[in-house]
Amino acid sequence: MLRIYKNVSGRILEQDELSNGCWVHLSAPDNGEIKSVCKQLSVPESFVRAALDEEERSRIDEEEGTLLIVVDTPTAEQDNNDFYYSTIPFGIIVTENAVLTVCAKETALPRQITDGTVKGVSTKKIRRFVLQLLFQNATLFLYYLRRTDKDVIRAEKELRRTMKNKELIRLLSLEKSLVYFSTGLKGDEAVLEKLLRMHFINAYPEDSELLEDVIVENRQAIEMCHIYRDILSGTMN
């Protein structure tokens, strides 16, 4: 699916056509959408294909003035009354006049921007917009980690009451989710540290402060994930 957004009168609104200062989001796109967007934005098709690869690692690449940032973003899927958590690559492609985001399926990260949750967002301020996306991604990890912890507590209470295999399996699933989160967060940390060393934010001191805030938020998520993993490991033992 292809969606185009842009700031209009201080709000992020969906548009019909690409223009300078817009944000283009591709979610589970078909070949026609990929080729059309790549041609219009002069983006290497390999960048989009890389972001759609569910095995792609977090990294930064640059080609002919176009920057590719791949990070892991958290996801949640519901099965009956239980949620299962994982991560999926999320690509941010930065051109001179627009930002293109790419993901193999719909995730919560773009919705954080489009539903007005984040204040002061401008798609025209391209690099700041990218940093705001990265900040929201770290914030989402914290949100899902808290949800995971609540799920663990519920499963533990049920396990003490019934001692059913279902609750043991649920705890194993949550333990696996925390492994995914930990791996994704560490990969994202490496990307953020590299961005800090690059020319990406040198022109604007306020952007440098925002990137440092993103790194702090990401580290907080890493520490929280470690704590929850240790607690759950002790419970399982």
Side-chain angles (χ1 to χ4, degrees), residues 6-235:
K6 193 172 184 178
N7 276 86
V8 179
S9 302
R11 298 171 59 198
I12 302 284
L13 298 178
E14 194 162 351
Q15 307 291 301
D16 295 325
E17 296 181 354
L18 276 71
S19 60
N20 287 347
C22 71
W23 163 35
V24 183
H25 180 59
L26 288 174
S27 174
D30 57 37
N31 283 328
E33 290 172 333
I34 294 173
K35 292 183 180 299
S36 174
V37 169
C38 288
K39 182 178 180 180
Q40 292 182 72
L41 295 179
S42 299
V43 168
E45 194 173 315
S46 60
F47 278 8
V48 175
R49 301 286 182 188
L52 292 171
D53 182 359
E54 296 193 13
E55 301 300 321
E56 185 68 33
R57 60 183 176 83
S58 299
R59 65 184 179 94
I60 293 177
D61 199 358
E62 194 167 9
E63 184 177 320
E64 298 178 0
T66 300
L67 183 68
L68 168 66
I69 303 170
V70 179
V71 293
D72 277 331
T73 193
T75 63
E77 294 183 5
Q78 189 171 9
D79 182 13
N80 295 323
N81 294 324
D82 293 330
F83 281 92
Y84 294 88
Y85 308 98
S86 185
T87 61
I88 191 171
F90 188 90
I92 305 172
I93 301 172
V94 188
T95 72
E96 185 177 348
N97 300 313
V99 173
L100 169 62
T101 54
V102 186
C103 197
K105 64 181 180 181
E106 194 61 51
T107 65
L109 181 52
R111 293 196 297 272
Q112 294 289 103
I113 305 296
T114 57
D115 66 7
T117 301
V118 186
K119 305 301 180 184
V121 174
S122 173
T123 59
K124 298 173 185 177
K125 297 178 180 178
I126 291 174
R127 292 174 184 266
R128 169 155 286 213
F129 178 69
V130 170
L131 294 176
Q132 287 169 323
L133 275 171
L134 293 172
F135 186 86
Q136 287 307 307
N137 191 51
T139 301
L140 272 175
F141 268 111
L142 289 169
Y143 170 74
Y144 280 122
L145 281 166
R146 293 187 187 101
R147 278 181 50 172
T148 304
D149 185 48
K150 291 178 181 178
D151 288 348
V152 169
I153 292 171
R154 280 195 294 269
E156 285 176 352
K157 288 180 179 178
E158 188 65 22
L159 186 61
R160 291 192 186 100
R161 190 176 66 85
T162 64
M163 290 298 290
K164 289 181 179 178
N165 285 340
K166 176 186 175 183
E167 303 309 324
L168 283 172
I169 294 170
R170 177 65 179 144
L171 287 173
L172 285 170
S173 173
L174 291 168
E175 189 173 38
K176 186 189 297 183
S177 297
L178 291 175
V179 172
Y180 289 142
F181 283 176
S182 179
T183 303
L185 284 163
K186 287 177 182 176
D188 290 357
E189 183 181 39
V191 166
L192 295 172
E193 294 286 356
K194 187 172 181 179
L195 273 180
L196 192 61
R197 298 192 300 269
M198 291 173 63
H199 57 78
F200 187 76
I201 42 84
N202 286 350
Y204 302 99
E206 61 270 24
D207 287 352
S208 179
E209 293 176 6
L210 179 54
L211 179 52
E212 289 173 359
D213 289 343
V214 178
I215 292 173
V216 169
E217 195 84 352
N218 196 77
R219 285 177 181 166
Q220 184 181 344
I222 290 173
E223 291 170 6
M224 186 181 291
C225 190
H226 284 167
I227 292 170
Y228 290 165
R229 283 184 69 184
D230 288 345
I231 292 171
L232 183 53
S233 178
T235 301

